Amino acid sequence: MKYYQKIALDSIFLLTLLFTNTGYAQQIYFPERGLWQEKPAYQLGFSESKIKTAIDFAQQNEYSGERDLRVAILKGYAQEPFHEITGPTKKRGAPAGVIIKNGYIIAKWGDVERVDMTFSVTKSFLSTIAGLAQDEGLLDVEDKVKDYIWDGTFAGAHNSKIKWSHLLYQSSDWQGTLFGMEDWADRPPKQGDLDDWKYRTLNEPGTIYEYNDVRVNLLAYSLLHVWRKPLPVVLKEKIMDKIGASSTWRWFGADNAYVNVDGQQVQSVTGGGHSGGGIFINTLDMARFGLLFQQNGKWKAQQLLSEEWIQRIRQPSKANLSYGYLWWLNNKAGNQYMEGVPDNLYYAAGFGGNFIAIDPTNDLVIVTRWLEPNKLADFLRLVVAAKDEKATKESVSLFNGKDLRGWKIHGTEKWYVKDGLLVCESGADKGYGYLATEKSFKNFDLTLEFKQEANGNSGVFFRSSLEGTKITGWQAEVAPPRNNTGGIYESYGRGWLIQPKPSLDKALKMGEWNTMRVRVIDDEVTTWLNGVEMIHLKDEKIGQATGQIALQIHDGGGIKVNWRNIKIITLD
């Protein structure tokens, strides 16, 4: 029976479409390459304190294995006969993760740009390669693989029965050797010996689930023959480039896993890092991949994967009700069910605690790395429990749109209100000028909008104090392009403490309205420009201070900046 003729699947698909059209009314944001906007959790209906509790939990429950993953792999699979490292490995980083709501980052921790191994999360990427082939008519998952791969790999009474769907469900019980690796040597039973494992009774394809990387690598090998080009190239061209992924991810295979494809030697990649290899990727690129699935295969206006395929991967195997097409399912009828987590949540999972979780109920994508694997359910429960529609916080306007009440001018430069806007403009003296709040602030979340006209060299001081036009404290820079807008400068002290990465400069829209956000809590400062995090700084000296908020106009003359919507939430 052909895939798209399956009546039960069509029924599920139609119901899902109905749910999707009614349940996804909120506008979804898709990040551009290299820039990902962030929003406070409370703006999207989540408690910031509860999200922080979840993050603290993830960081406190780091995977207990070795950070040298070559050592961790050898220890983890020491019970396997003949196991060896045949592909690249990499020492891992500390716990990291990100939580995405409606496409926006509402929380992140650790180094989200660090590239690390993902192990069996790779399987869900491999499943996507199969989905692309299905969508393009290169295969049908209900066909037998022997009709496509005729080199003897699927020969024999047993192997000839295997369908693509059996490989995707890990229920094929394929028997054989692939690139020198025996199927039975991967995670053998604790009972018996080599003869027992090698000459076991074979199970009818589709009846018994068995997690087996040799057979997953067999799927990759078979898909390579179908696509007739390297699978990393397929993934890059069809998915990763189109979702704006970075250029840092890689997909490796075993050192000896090369196949002649149309006269060229092409590496057959692995579906994990069991013996090294698999996908090496950063946290943000994993989140982009997750967001594609959370949006049912669509990125902006382009359907990269069919909605039919997205539904198909979530249909449980008869052999394992907790497993779909190389994705794990939070199926109440399965043996991996996580109480307190939505039943429709599904996730990619890899050795060492690498996870991409898709939560359609709450429009969430959750990526966590190097979390102790048995703590996943607890962590997800904390994230889901953080949902709080009453979590909004009241902000106070520092500028009333009418006059400078609540502020004090320092210097001879011009500060005035026109058409509801706060305007600063260079005066005859062409010196430094400041407009400072009468009140002092310690911990706060400040947002404001600015539009730079002539030159536009300015800034936002915090925890500052003034004597005339001499100001001490810290400035979140507002400047023309390529001049570190969003960076932190210490006045009459250490100078630049941190500058944004040059690649982030494109977040600034010169001559247009920009939104800056400055969040200061104890000794930590974070700035955002148009939703993009520019810097995060932890500094003991800042932590000891308190003081006023002040807007600056730089010396030199020829400067004009407009300000509006200056709002603060105190966090003391």
Side-chain angles (χ1 to χ4, degrees):
M1 181 180 294
K2 295 294 183 182
Y3 166 45
Y4 294 115
Q5 295 174 338
K6 294 181 76 66
I7 297 174
L9 179 59
D10 287 345
S11 300
I12 293 169
F13 171 55
L14 289 172
L15 288 171
T16 303
L17 272 180
L18 178 62
F19 172 79
T20 300
N21 290 336
T22 57
Y24 280 71
Q26 293 179 318
Q27 185 175 2
I28 300 298
Y29 158 74
F30 293 94
E32 298 298 327
R33 184 185 305 275
L35 293 176
W36 201 323
Q37 293 186 24
E38 302 182 30
K39 284 191 174 184
Y42 66 82
Q43 287 187 3
L44 293 172
F46 281 76
S47 164
E48 291 210 39
S49 62
K50 290 181 180 179
I51 287 291
K52 185 178 184 303
T53 298
I55 293 173
D56 290 344
F57 180 88
Q59 292 179 315
Q60 292 162 7
N61 287 276
E62 179 178 351
Y63 168 58
S64 57
E66 300 278 350
R67 286 204 177 188
D68 186 334
L69 292 174
R70 183 180 183 86
V71 175
I73 292 169
L74 291 172
K75 286 184 176 179
Y77 300 111
Q79 81 283 3
E80 296 183 4
F82 320 126
H83 178 262
E84 60 180 340
I85 301 293
T86 58
T89 63
K90 185 178 186 288
K91 292 182 179 179
R92 68 172 177 85
V98 63
I99 301 173
I100 310 297
K101 167 67 175 174
N102 295 348
Y104 295 96
I105 294 174
I106 63 170
K108 64 182 181 182
W109 60 99
D111 185 353
V112 295
E113 295 185 357
R114 177 189 168 90
V115 173
D116 268 330
M117 298 180 71
T118 58
F119 293 91
S120 288
V121 169
T122 306
K123 291 177 173 58
S124 299
F125 285 85
L126 181 60
S127 167
T128 301
I129 300 295
L132 291 167
Q134 173 80 38
D135 287 346
E136 295 192 19
L138 297 178
L139 60 79
D140 188 299
V141 293
E142 294 307 327
D143 285 346
K144 293 177 180 178
V145 187
K146 72 175 180 64
D147 296 333
Y148 299 76
I149 312 301
W150 44 261
D151 61 4
T153 306
F154 290 89
H158 175 80
N159 288 347
S160 63
K161 298 178 184 178
I162 295 171
K163 300 178 180 180
W164 291 100
S165 59
H166 297 146
L167 294 176
L168 287 160
Y169 276 140
Q170 296 215 58
S171 62
S172 71
D173 205 20
W174 176 83
Q175 183 183 41
T177 304
L178 183 69
F179 302 120
M181 301 178 70
E182 303 281 357
D183 72 283
W184 51 265
D186 185 311
R187 300 176 178 85
K190 293 181 180 180
Q191 297 78 29
D193 56 23
L194 267 65
D195 286 339
D196 295 320
W197 304 332
K198 189 172 183 179
Y199 300 110
R200 72 192 187 283
T201 300
L202 298 178
N203 299 296
E204 187 70 16
T207 61
I208 300 295
Y209 164 86
E210 185 178 356
Y211 201 87
N212 185 289
D213 278 311
V214 174
R215 297 180 190 129
V216 171
N217 296 343
L218 174 68
L219 172 62
Y221 169 82
S222 302
L223 287 170
L224 172 60
H225 281 281
V226 169
W227 281 101
R228 300 173 78 103
K229 65 168 113 175
L231 299 192
V233 173
V234 177
L235 182 65
K236 179 179 185 297
E237 293 176 349
K238 302 286 187 180
I239 300 293
M240 302 303 277
D241 284 352
K242 293 182 179 181
I243 64 176
S246 73
S247 62
T248 62
W249 67 273
R250 300 289 185 271
W251 194 354
F252 300 106
D255 295 337
N256 66 333
Y258 282 85
V259 180
N260 187 321
V261 177
D262 299 332
Q264 296 186 24
Q265 291 296 304
V266 177
Q267 189 177 47
S268 183
V269 292
T270 61
H274 188 136
S275 297
I279 286 182
F280 291 49
I281 193 170
N282 71 40
T283 303
L284 292 178
D285 285 345
M286 291 170 71
R288 286 175 182 268
F289 183 73
L291 182 59
L292 174 66
F293 281 80
Q294 197 269 333
Q295 287 302 301
N296 290 313
K298 192 172 186 178
W299 192 269
K300 297 182 179 178
Q302 191 172 8
Q303 195 75 41
L304 303 185
L305 278 168
S306 70
E307 292 183 345
E308 292 91 343
W309 181 259
I310 300 298
Q311 296 310 309
R312 184 72 182 193
I313 65 172
R314 297 169 59 187
Q315 300 310 304
S317 164
K318 292 180 180 178
N320 183 350
L321 295 176
S322 292
Y323 206 65
Y325 277 178
L326 302 179
W327 286 85
W328 290 95
L329 314 174
N330 194 40
N331 184 354
K332 205 165 189 176
N335 59 8
Q336 299 290 321
Y337 181 65
M338 296 179 285
E339 193 76 42
V341 176
D343 294 356
N344 60 354
L345 181 141
Y346 61 106
Y347 58 101
F351 178 92
N354 286 276
F355 300 99
I356 305 174
I358 316 299
D359 178 358
T361 297
N362 296 303
D363 298 335
L364 291 174
V365 177
I366 305 162
V367 178
T368 182
R369 312 197 71 178
W370 315 120
L371 172 72
E372 194 68 64
N374 63 10
K375 298 295 183 181
L376 175 64
D378 293 330
F379 170 70
L380 292 176
R381 278 190 283 266
L382 288 171
V383 175
V384 172
K387 187 174 182 180
D388 183 358
E389 301 296 346
K390 299 179 181 179
T392 56
K393 296 184 179 181
E394 293 294 329
S395 62
V396 175
S397 293
L398 296 181
F399 170 55
N400 61 19
K402 300 176 182 178
D403 53 41
L404 300 181
R405 191 176 306 166
W407 298 82
K408 181 179 179 181
I409 296 175
H410 295 261
T412 60
E413 307 311 296
K414 300 176 184 178
W415 297 89
Y416 57 92
V417 179
K418 182 179 180 180
D419 298 328
L421 304 178
L422 173 57
V423 183
C424 66
E425 189 173 359
S426 295
D429 293 340
K430 300 180 181 180
Y432 283 101
Y434 301 92
L435 183 69
T437 59
E438 294 175 350
K439 293 181 179 180
S440 293
F441 299 91
K442 177 74 173 176
N443 294 328
F444 59 85
D445 197 324
L446 174 73
T447 58
L448 52 79
E449 295 175 54
F450 66 86
K451 182 166 73 171
Q452 302 153 294
E453 294 190 16
N455 188 327
N457 197 335
S458 184
V460 181
F461 274 83
F462 58 91
R463 293 186 182 173
S464 64
S465 60
L466 290 110
E467 292 182 10
T469 56
K470 181 179 179 180
I471 188 168
T472 57
W474 297 270
Q475 176 187 212
E477 182 77 2
V478 173
R482 297 176 297 281
N483 281 276
N484 302 312
T485 293
I488 302 298
Y489 184 88
E490 183 177 282
S491 180
Y492 291 96
R494 295 168 290 173
W496 282 108
L497 301 184
I498 186 170
Q499 297 173 332
K501 295 179 181 178
S503 61
L504 298 178
D505 189 67
K506 57 187 174 182
L508 177 66
K509 298 179 289 187
M510 187 67 183
E512 301 179 36
W513 283 105
N514 293 268
T515 300
M516 174 173 275
R517 179 181 170 209
V518 181
R519 184 181 177 94
V520 183
I521 301 180
D522 299 327
D523 62 351
E524 295 188 52
V525 181
T526 311
T527 66
W528 293 265
L529 182 63
N530 297 319
V532 176
E533 183 179 308
M534 304 303 284
I535 63 91
H536 178 78
L537 174 67
K538 191 175 179 70
D539 185 82
E540 183 179 357
K541 187 175 178 182
I542 292 177
Q544 296 171 349
T546 189
Q548 300 157 281
I549 290 170
L551 307 179
Q552 181 207 57
I553 184 169
H554 208 276
D555 70 347
I559 299 172
K560 184 176 181 181
V561 180
N562 299 319
W563 309 83
R564 69 183 183 188
N565 295 328
I566 307 173
K567 299 181 179 181
I568 193 168
I569 297 172
T570 56
L571 302 174
D572 293 315

